[in-house]
Amino acid sequence: MNADLELYRDMVRRFVATEIDPHHERWREQQHVDRELWRKAGGLGLLLADIPEEYGGAGGDYAHMTILFEELAAVGDRAFGVHVHAIVAHYLLNQGTEEQKRRYLPKLASGEMIAAIAMTEPGAGSDLQGVRTRALKEGSEYLINGSKIFISNGYLADLVVVVAKTDPDAGSKGFSLLLVETNERPGYRVGRILDKLGQKGQDTCELFFDDVRVGADAVLGDAEGRGFAQLMSELPYERTMVAVSALGAIERALRLTVDHVRQRKAFGKALFEMQNTRFKLAEVKTQAVVGRALVDDCVERMLNGTMDTTTASIAKLWLTEAEGRVMDECLQLFGGYGYMLEYPIAQMFADARVQRIYGGSSEIMKEIIARSL
Ligand SMILES: Cc1cc2nc3c(=O)[nH]c(=O)nc-3n(C[C@H](O)[C@H](O)[C@H](O)COP(=O)(O)OP(=O)(O)OC[C@H]3O[C@@H](n4cnc5c(N)ncnc54)[C@H](O)[C@@H]3O)c2cc1C
């Protein structure tokens, strides 16, 4: 942190307090945030804070994005899909053609366009080799057919990065990422918003592609067949973000639980005075401090360009597993109140569960880490 970043944090905190925190319940009911939120965040330069100004970004770096993820986590927000949006921007920045960067990044920065990434299919999650969606060349166009599931921002998305097979016979070199603008696109259909255990304000959807036509310039970059390599190259960005948000949730749970056990009395004294409570919270604090050291190291690596896939996988694995343990222990200290959805800890417990599944499950993280041994 430095003085500029502290000022930036103040601005983000004010934005989160006025534009995010008061709307959680309504977003949970309607299963998505308001489109207007994206415009407001874009207007303040929050959406693509780490994208160069020449492409409409705010010209900051990963520290600015970290601050946004931390402040969202500090109020328990899991509805605003800015994480996925930022990853799409990085695909474009690092893998896109100059024309693709100029066409999309300014609109993603302003919130005029909302982005999603469509990899997962009913038959392909951890193992993307099973992807069946095809984008086959027909003259100067691609014809896309297939379906996707569990797509974050799916209901609102104007730009979807679709993982598809462009050459079914070329194995892992037969995949490409296609930039699909969804507005009034014949053959493109958004299914229902899926009813999830947690993260209920986030619009996670099924997407259907029936003879969807896009131009040859919709392939990310200047050649097909690079999809897997392009996906791999941005994984550390995504996994570090998940780790940052997990840490934010751990720190919030600790604050909320300490407050509760200081006030709640049983057997003539505050819960806080009981040794079990103190020991449990000492363990939570230890995990928060260890997690903070790991996340700070990751953010520094993201800033100085030394982040690697193994380290990002370690951070995602450790922080999301810790988040799961912490939510469970903290909820227990709330007793029956912890089971009531009007108590934030209950929602945090439900919201946390998927952190060990998406962005590469814990088991896949272990596979990746083991390869480095
Ligand atoms: C809320 C939510 C949001 C999501 N957002 C997106 C999104 O925006 N875009 C997108 O493309 N996808 C998204 N996903 C999908 C997510 O990335 C997948 O669910 C995840 O990759 C797991 O795939 P799967 O569900 O098919 O499970 P599977 O791959 O069927 O895995 C089932 C279980 O088997 C384990 N397993 C699989 N392979 C191995 C192995 N080799 N060794 C040991 N264990 C293994 C897994 O760890 C898991 O525990 C989202 C999912 C959810 C729930």
Side-chain angles (χ1 to χ4, degrees):
M1 293 300 294
N2 57 38
D4 284 348
L5 287 171
E6 292 292 358
L7 280 176
Y8 185 75
R9 187 187 289 283
D10 285 346
M11 191 262 282
V12 173
R13 194 170 283 168
R14 279 196 303 276
F15 176 81
V16 168
T18 54
E19 303 297 342
I20 304 257
D21 205 19
H23 304 293
H24 280 140
E25 207 163 313
R26 190 167 53 77
W27 292 342
R28 268 196 291 275
E29 271 161 27
Q30 69 185 28
Q31 295 181 290
H32 59 87
V33 301
D34 304 323
R35 189 167 270 279
E36 194 50 28
L37 172 69
W38 289 88
R39 298 262 192 186
K40 287 181 180 165
L44 288 173
L46 302 182
L47 293 176
L48 303 194
D50 59 350
I51 296 287
E53 284 168 282
E54 61 172 310
Y55 299 119
D61 57 31
Y62 197 76
H64 293 88
M65 293 310 285
T66 304
I67 287 170
L68 176 61
F69 306 143
E70 283 182 347
E71 293 302 321
L72 291 172
V75 298
D77 178 75
R78 302 270 188 179
F80 191 20
V82 67
H83 305 73
V84 172
H85 188 81
I87 297 166
V88 170
H90 280 263
Y91 284 142
L92 284 161
L93 181 72
N94 298 325
Q95 320 282 344
T97 62
E98 193 55 33
E99 145 70 14
Q100 288 168 342
K101 289 184 222 188
R102 298 211 177 269
R103 191 181 329 155
Y104 295 119
L105 285 173
K107 290 183 182 166
L108 295 180
S110 67
E112 184 183 336
M113 278 188 137
I114 300 168
I117 307 167
M119 295 184 261
T120 308
E121 299 183 1
S126 304
D127 181 10
L128 287 178
Q129 298 279 358
V131 161
R132 293 178 63 179
T133 297
R134 296 199 172 186
L136 300 181
K137 205 83 183 264
E138 242 193 42
S140 61
E141 293 180 318
Y142 284 96
L143 201 59
I144 307 176
N145 278 289
S147 70
K148 299 286 177 180
I149 196 164
F150 306 147
I151 307 307
S152 306
N153 293 350
Y155 176 70
L156 291 173
D158 309 286
L159 177 67
V160 181
V161 176
V162 181
V163 179
K165 272 189 180 166
T166 37
D167 182 353
D169 303 320
S172 64
K173 297 221 165 80
F175 290 89
S176 303
L177 305 187
L178 286 106
L179 301 163
V180 178
E181 290 181 48
T182 62
N183 282 345
E184 294 177 23
R185 172 83 44 196
Y188 174 77
R189 189 164 60 82
V190 179
R192 68 201 162 93
I193 302 181
L194 300 166
D195 190 13
K196 305 189 292 297
L197 173 69
Q199 306 203 356
K200 287 179 178 285
Q202 164 56 225
D203 48 318
T204 312
C205 290
E206 288 177 278
L207 305 179
F208 300 96
F209 302 82
D210 296 314
D211 284 342
V212 170
R213 284 180 188 277
V214 291
D217 59 354
V219 171
L220 181 71
D222 50 14
E224 40 169 88
R226 298 209 189 127
F228 265 157
Q230 290 170 332
L231 283 178
M232 297 303 136
S233 67
E234 299 304 329
L235 288 177
Y237 188 94
E238 177 179 7
R239 292 183 178 152
T240 305
M241 280 186 335
V242 176
V244 169
S245 70
L247 175 64
I250 291 170
E251 292 176 342
R252 178 173 194 240
L254 179 60
R255 282 195 303 276
L256 294 175
T257 312
V258 169
D259 280 353
H260 179 78
V261 297
R262 279 188 193 281
Q263 285 163 31
R264 179 81 180 163
K265 292 202 168 49
F267 300 97
K269 56 183 176 182
L271 292 179
F272 186 69
E273 289 169 41
M274 292 162 183
Q275 191 187 48
N276 177 65
T277 309
R278 297 166 65 79
F279 278 15
K280 287 292 176 203
L281 289 174
E283 283 170 15
V284 170
K285 177 154 187 177
T286 303
Q287 294 181 79
V289 170
V290 172
R292 170 58 64 191
L294 180 53
V295 162
D296 281 354
D297 178 57
C298 286
V299 173
E300 251 183 72
R301 285 171 187 259
M302 290 298 296
L303 289 171
N304 65 25
T306 59
M307 182 48 113
D308 59 87
T309 302
T310 308
T311 307
S313 304
I314 290 171
K316 189 204 178 251
L317 173 66
W318 198 88
L319 265 304
T320 59
E321 291 287 332
E323 182 184 7
R325 286 192 300 272
V326 164
M327 295 312 142
D328 190 49
E329 296 286 11
C330 287
L331 188 150
Q332 185 71 13
L333 291 172
F334 277 80
Y337 300 93
Y339 199 66
M340 299 299 129
L341 282 173
E342 65 202 78
Y343 276 71
I345 195 69
Q347 272 155 21
M348 293 172 76
F349 176 83
D351 290 349
R353 188 61 188 86
V354 77
Q355 293 260 91
R356 288 182 267 161
I357 297 171
Y358 60 22
S361 66
S362 287
E363 292 72 27
I364 297 301
M365 293 306 99
K366 289 179 200 174
E367 279 293 335
I368 294 169
I369 297 161
R371 278 180 217 148
S372 73
L373 297 174

